[in-house]
Amino acid sequence: MRKIRIMTMIVAMTLCISALAGCRKKPSAVAQNDEIALSGDTKVLVVYFSWSGNLQKMSHWIAEETGGDIIRVLASDPYPEDYDETADRAKKEKDEGIRPAITIDLTAEEIAKYDTIFLGFPVWWYDLPMPMWTFLESVDLEGKTVIPFFSHEGSSTGASSLDTIKRLAEGADVKTDDALSIRGGKVAGSEETVRNWVRDLGYGK
Ligand SMILES: Cc1cc2nc3c(=O)[nH]c(=O)nc-3n(C[C@H](O)[C@H](O)[C@H](O)COP(=O)(O)O)c2cc1C
């Protein structure tokens, strides 16, 4: 009887610990990188960064609508789950001009497969999140068309982010006038808006 009670306690404790660990994790869809082959078939690539999932949603709608490939920029040292901790780290990176290491490293051959890059990001501290600086400085986008899309909680024009893209994507035709801006809280209900934007730009399948 004592053995059974001890066993029950061990099972209960294990379940508690797993449940607690699960609570602190982001949903796997947000935590994982997208594992999609870079075929280059449609010459369209969607590159995005997302911390809490809004840009992930927008990016997948765009990739579906264009038939293009998709790749997610992730910091090699992941941002914390906690908002304040992430905000603090992002502020320090921005203030100090830190380029965090990222998990993707596109070769010149891979980039050469694409004519158009849809570039998605949340506005962070009135600018592009620093991992996107790392990305843009790691690739040569000369001659490509770059179409920005972003989400925000008030910086509806993207604040400094569009100018930063123009500066970093040297030699690219950055379509700032066509950029799509959606407030974070509205993203979940904006699938049609996003898909129509893609079609209106002439990139629908
Ligand atoms: C670190 C951090 C900084 C942010 N800075 C801004 C900002 O300067 N202006 C703004 O409008 N929203 C800001 N936001 C809000 C995000 O842009 C917005 O919530 C966006 O929808 C998040 O996209 P995601 O879910 O793909 O991460 C910030 C959010 C975080 C986490």
Side-chain angles (χ1 to χ4, degrees), residues 49-56 83 86-87 90 122-126 151-155 184:
F49 175 84
S50 180
W51 180 69
S52 55
N54 288 328
L55 266 300
Q56 187 177 39
Y83 176 86
T86 296
V123 178
W124 269 19
W125 292 109
Y126 312 102
S151 177
H152 62 90
E153 277 306 338
S155 306

Side-chain angles (χ1 to χ4, degrees), residues 89-108:
R89 173 171 152 191
K91 174 113 183 26
K92 182 176 158 58
E93 288 174 348
K94 171 85 180 49
D95 289 350
E96 296 178 13
I98 293 168
R99 310 312 198 245
I102 56 175
T103 57
I104 60 163
D105 183 16
L106 296 183
T107 62

Side-chain angles (χ1 to χ4, degrees), residues 14-34:
T14 312
L15 285 176
C16 270
I17 290 164
S18 333
L20 276 174
C23 285
R24 277 189 274 114
K25 276 189 197 146
K26 281 210 201 107
S28 59
V30 177
Q32 301 294 310
N33 210 339
D34 295 296

